[in-house]
Structures are given as C-alpha cells and as structure tokens.
Amino acid sequence: MDISPLEFQLDSDKIIFERLQKEFEAARASQTEEIYLDGEQWNDGLLATIREQVHMEADRKAMSGDADISAGPQEKITYKTGNKVICCLEGARIGIQYETSFAGEHCEFYHCVLESKSFLQRMTVLEHTVPFFLPIRETENDLLSSNAMKFIDHVGDLLQAYVDRREQVRLIKELYGNQIGELYHSLPYHMIDKVTVSLRYTDLISVLPTRITVLAWPMPKKNSTVTLNRMEDGISGNHPTPVRLPYAEEALRTMSLPEGENYVC
C-alpha cells in the first residue's frame, strides 16, 4: 500500500512527539527542584545560566567516563514560566515544553529542543513538535541567534494563539453548527470564512481578527424571477444586494468567536 508524503510526515511527527514527551517526562521525574519564575525572573541571564549548566554537565560526563557518570548526586533543576517548562536534557541540549490551554482546560503539549556545540556558539533548533504550518524556522532565523529568550517566548505565543483560534472555531461549530452551515479555515486558523462572515487575522499570534466583514443577503421572495439584462459586456441579473452588519463586525472585533457569534446568528 502506497503511503502519501503527508501520511509519512504525520507518522514521523507522531514518533518524534512520543519520543520527546517521554524524554521530558523522564527529565521532570529526575529533577531535584522545579523553580517557578515570575515576571522578570525569566531573563537572558537565567537562560545563559541554563546554557552553561547543560554544557558543564555534558563536559563532566565526557571527562568522567561512562563508569562514573552516576557518581555523586547531581542537581537537576527545571524551570517553569507561564506555559513553558525548560529542562536540561542529555547531550548539552535545552528542552522547552509548551503547554497550551483554552478556557482554563489543558489542550496539547508541544516541544522545542535547542542545542549548541559550545557555550559560546549560537543555538539552533535541533528538533521540535510545532505544527509544520507555523513559522518556527523563520522565527529561528529572525530571533534565536540575537535574542534566544524572545525566540522561546514567541514560539509559545504562536502555539497558544493557534490553539485559541482553533478552539474558538471548534466551539462555534458546537454551539451554532446548525445555523452557520459550512465553515472554512486555513490550517493555522488565521483565515476563517463562512457564508456571511469573513475574518482575517493580522498575524499568527493574533487571537482577535482585525479585518472583519459580515454580510446579510435578503431572503428571496417566493415565485420571484430574476430578470436578465443583456449588456455590452455580458449578462447581468437583478440579484439581491447584501447588506453589511456593522454591529456584528464590531462585536467580532472585540470578542472571541463564540461570544461575537451571538450578534451574527
């Protein structure tokens, strides 16, 4: 049986996710301390300390040899800030686990693993479980070498905003599915369309749309006929003209989809 490239990619992504999830669970199970960071405690200085720790641990194991790896208790600290857990992984790697949520309920974990050949060299993304349609490689090129902390935070913002948009669409289908009919969206849910509503989001970290159009078509009268008029450039019909609903557009500009939909349906 032939396997499509997409199916192969999905299988590969699943394998990577399961392996990284187990590795993160093992890292947290073996931790000696978990530190919760608040506000300014999460900063470039702390990230530099974490980088130094992973390289020192890798050097210690390389110098002591396999027989003495477990000699003496070693401090293993993980850090939690916002929706991120930052772990020191084997092989001089830094792992970031992102926990997404919607309306206070857990959704999914995502992972990003960073590495560098030495403490002085730039970090790169070794592997990740971020959905392929989110621009993690572009974000890596733009931010990781110049501001690693901003890169880590921005990836978290991308993931959480994507989950927020996706779950809003899921909820609106549950609540108003019989009224809205078909609902179309792009993979990252940053373009959403239905018959009378068009939403566009500025970027992939936006939760509320910035370009909104809500149109309502008058119901056609029974037994009405459409008069066709021949014109120089073809045939045109006397079709009903849609009417914009500015109050609904304003509601969708300031409310999440399930709330704003009350002004549309």
Side-chain angles (χ1 to χ4, degrees):
M1 182 177 64
D2 293 334
I3 299 177
S4 70
L6 179 58
E7 290 174 324
F8 179 81
Q9 181 65 46
L10 292 175
D11 288 342
S12 177
D13 290 346
K14 182 179 179 182
I15 292 171
I16 294 173
F17 174 85
E18 291 175 348
R19 175 172 53 77
L20 287 180
Q21 184 64 19
K22 289 179 180 178
E23 189 170 4
F24 274 83
E25 289 173 355
R28 298 191 72 177
S30 64
Q31 70 187 22
T32 57
E33 184 180 6
E34 182 168 276
I35 298 177
Y36 289 82
L37 305 174
D38 185 20
E40 295 181 355
Q41 291 178 316
W42 167 234
N43 53 49
D44 292 323
L46 177 63
L47 184 57
T49 299
I50 297 172
R51 289 191 64 191
E52 185 177 22
Q53 287 175 347
V54 298
H55 282 285
M56 288 177 62
E57 179 65 9
D59 291 343
R60 182 190 70 81
K61 289 185 176 182
M63 293 177 63
S64 60
D66 292 343
D68 298 324
I69 281 179
S70 60
Q74 297 298 318
E75 188 178 54
K76 294 185 177 181
I77 302 174
T78 60
Y79 301 87
K80 185 172 178 61
T81 174
N83 69 334
K84 302 178 288 291
V85 174
I86 303 166
C87 302
C88 299
L89 302 178
E90 297 288 336
R93 295 173 301 146
I94 296 176
I96 304 99
Q97 183 181 66
Y98 298 94
E99 181 177 0
T100 59
S101 61
F102 181 72
E105 297 293 328
H106 167 74
C107 291
E108 297 102 356
F109 288 116
Y110 296 96
H111 313 87
C112 181
V113 178
L114 307 177
E115 73 162 0
S116 60
K117 299 302 180 183
S118 73
F119 176 69
L120 298 177
Q121 293 187 23
R122 67 186 294 269
M123 288 190 292
T124 59
V125 175
L126 177 64
E127 55 185 347
H128 65 85
T129 60
V130 175
F132 71 90
F133 44 78
L134 295 180
I136 186 169
R137 290 301 176 185
E138 292 87 340
T139 305
E140 177 186 6
N141 294 334
D142 291 342
L143 295 176
L144 186 53
S145 61
S146 59
N147 193 328
M149 176 184 159
K150 189 173 182 180
F151 165 81
I152 293 170
D153 289 344
H154 187 69
V155 171
D157 292 341
L158 282 172
L159 290 166
Q160 185 56 57
Y162 155 67
V163 170
D164 279 337
R165 294 191 302 268
R166 184 197 67 196
E167 291 303 299
Q168 287 180 41
V169 170
R170 179 191 61 77
L171 188 56
I172 202 173
K173 285 182 176 180
E174 289 182 4
L175 296 176
Y176 305 104
N178 61 331
Q179 300 177 53
I180 63 176
E182 292 294 332
L183 189 66
Y184 305 95
H185 57 79
S186 59
L187 281 174
Y189 290 81
H190 72 311
M191 291 189 294
I192 302 169
D193 289 293
K194 54 179 278 188
V195 176
T196 58
V197 177
S198 177
L199 306 179
R200 294 294 182 268
Y201 296 79
T202 300
D203 49 43
L204 292 175
I205 62 171
S206 299
V207 175
L208 294 175
T210 51
R211 290 170 49 201
I212 303 155
T213 304
V214 181
L215 301 176
W217 275 263
M219 291 293 291
K221 295 179 181 179
K222 288 186 177 181
N223 302 322
S224 65
T225 59
V226 176
T227 303
L228 297 180
N229 300 317
R230 290 196 173 273
M231 302 177 64
E232 292 182 0
D233 57 349
I235 298 176
S236 66
N238 296 326
H239 298 285
T241 302
V243 178
R244 290 188 67 176
L245 303 180
Y247 66 91
E249 293 175 355
E250 185 60 29
L252 289 168
R253 187 172 287 108
T254 57
M255 301 178 183
S256 65
L257 272 178
E259 297 171 302
E261 187 69 11
N262 288 317
Y263 292 84
V264 179
C265 297

